[in-house]
Amino acid sequence: MAIAAARQAGFQGFPVLCRIHDGVLHGEEPARMEMCNHAITAIQVPPPVDLPSIVEVNGARYLLYDPTSRTTPIGRLPEAHRNAKVLICFPTGGQWVEVPAKAIPDARVNVTLTADVDKTGHLVGVLSVQEWNDALGLASTHLERGPSTITELLASLFSINATSDFRILKTTSSSLPQASIFEIQLAVDADNARRISGEFDRLSLPGLPPGPHPIQPLDQPRRTTIKAGRDLQWLWKGSIKFPSEMKLQHPEWSASTAFREIHWKGQTVQNRLDLTLDMKQSQGIWEGDQIPEGLRKIDSDRHTWELFLGTCLKIKPEVHE
């Protein structure tokens, strides 16, 4: 349809084969249909047009366009095409091209939790999420499937357990030349936000980023390319009130892995904890002889994230002598 629409507007369009979400294409090997799982469009454009997703082939300029992404502005491509090569299918044969890095907009998520936690650990509050460029799929899910399915996605993404109750208060969306922004605000009602755990109690707060996806055990061989993680900037802030003053086990903590840089900071203001998690995530690709190393780095990243959850979310009542 995109090729036909381009033709009606006076432009030539060509199909483009690519692979998303499941490994990468390198362009060195002969192309086979089974290597690809997605198709986009290349539209030939004149020199005055200057957009980030334009590539040049034999002196001609082509705009790479993914018509399946309703939340990505023209001239940009969704996150799934990052670091990829695609095959433009001309009548005379195929041509591999690299997706320009500037064609992929920055993915960013800001989350703010404002809540009260009572002495039983019950939490009541408001969770606000700002998502840039469909970073988590919230905007596209809301647009294509509606509120009923976005709540399921939110529950899986934002550490909202099965005993929690949340409802959408409002949603807003806006499109800019460089980005699309989706915002959603939720009322959250959750049990066990504070759990007794030895000397320190442990917090379980809605809206924290999800952990790494599971991967096969290290002792099992793997031949296919590993593509793990993604380029994404997280900023999570919490303002949590308690019946009495609380003390964090670790007011500051930082760590770095192949997939993320974690910076954690918290402070006590009377009976309120002000918390900030600033995390930059990145993508890694390993293939061939590098696969065992990639698996070890994935395992190390998971252990680091579990260490953060088990260390930085511990609190205990402040005792003043």
Side-chain angles (χ1 to χ4, degrees):
M1 291 181 65
I3 293 175
R7 188 180 299 116
Q8 289 179 353
F11 297 95
Q12 272 193 300
F14 304 91
V16 180
L17 299 180
C18 47
R19 188 176 186 87
I20 59 174
H21 302 306
D22 185 20
V24 293
L25 296 175
H26 299 285
E28 291 83 9
E29 65 272 32
R32 302 188 306 274
M33 286 299 296
E34 62 267 23
M35 296 165 52
C36 307
N37 60 10
H38 190 61
I40 60 176
T41 304
I43 301 171
Q44 189 171 356
V45 293
V49 179
D50 186 17
L51 292 168
S53 67
I54 289 177
V55 296
E56 187 171 322
V57 178
N58 297 327
R61 302 167 74 249
Y62 298 90
L63 172 71
L64 298 178
Y65 168 60
D66 190 339
T68 66
S69 179
R70 297 172 62 185
T71 60
T72 305
I74 296 292
R76 301 277 181 167
L77 290 170
E79 174 67 27
H81 296 285
R82 187 182 296 275
N83 300 322
K85 283 189 176 181
V86 298
L87 182 67
I88 304 179
C89 301
F90 297 109
T92 55
Q95 177 69 52
W96 290 102
V97 297
E98 292 186 5
V99 173
K102 62 183 180 180
I104 313 298
D106 293 335
R108 184 154 50 105
V109 178
N110 286 2
V111 181
T112 302
L113 174 65
T114 304
D116 290 270
V117 177
D118 66 19
K119 61 182 180 180
T120 69
H122 185 79
L123 178 147
V124 176
V126 174
L127 186 69
S128 300
V129 182
Q130 284 186 322
E131 174 198 57
W132 276 258
N133 301 311
D134 203 29
L136 301 174
L138 299 178
S140 56
T141 299
H142 185 263
L143 180 64
E144 296 168 6
R145 303 178 188 176
S148 60
T149 52
I150 198 173
T151 53
E152 298 174 7
L153 178 59
L154 285 163
S156 65
L157 286 174
F158 290 119
S159 305
I160 301 175
N161 59 46
T163 62
S164 302
D165 178 41
F166 64 102
R167 58 186 175 86
I168 297 174
L169 298 176
K170 67 176 182 179
T171 62
T172 58
S173 58
S174 58
S175 294
L176 304 173
Q178 303 298 324
S180 60
I181 302 173
F182 178 74
E183 300 182 55
I184 185 167
Q185 191 175 84
L186 306 161
V188 182
D189 191 305
D191 291 324
N192 301 316
R194 174 188 172 192
R195 301 180 181 181
I196 297 175
S197 178
E199 179 185 359
F200 285 84
D201 296 348
R202 181 170 176 175
L203 295 176
S204 178
L205 299 175
L208 285 169
H213 292 297
I215 199 165
Q216 69 187 63
L218 292 176
D219 58 354
Q220 293 184 13
R222 177 170 176 148
R223 296 180 180 177
T224 56
T225 298
I226 296 175
K227 183 178 181 180
R230 58 169 304 181
D231 295 302
L232 176 62
Q233 183 72 46
W234 277 92
L235 181 62
W236 181 93
K237 291 187 176 184
S239 180
I240 318 298
K241 289 184 178 180
F242 297 88
S244 60
E245 188 173 335
M246 292 291 166
K247 177 182 179 181
L248 284 163
Q249 183 183 27
H250 289 282
E252 293 191 37
W253 193 85
S254 295
S256 179
T257 75
F259 299 98
R260 71 190 73 230
E261 293 179 9
I262 303 172
H263 301 283
W264 165 262
K265 189 173 183 179
Q267 63 176 346
T268 300
V269 183
Q270 296 180 347
N271 66 330
R272 187 183 78 236
L273 286 180
D274 290 337
L275 311 172
T276 300
L277 171 64
D278 191 351
M279 184 170 72
K280 182 179 181 181
Q281 295 180 241
S282 57
Q283 186 181 84
I285 300 175
W286 291 271
E287 55 191 340
D289 294 339
Q290 299 174 337
I291 288 177
E293 177 189 359
L295 290 171
R296 286 191 292 271
K297 288 185 176 181
I298 291 171
D299 191 54
S300 175
D301 177 62
R302 182 178 297 105
H303 285 303
T304 299
W305 182 248
E306 291 173 352
L307 179 64
F308 162 72
L309 294 177
T311 301
C312 296
L313 298 179
K314 286 186 175 181
I315 62 170
K316 68 178 181 180
E318 180 71 279
V319 178
H320 296 283
E321 296 182 357

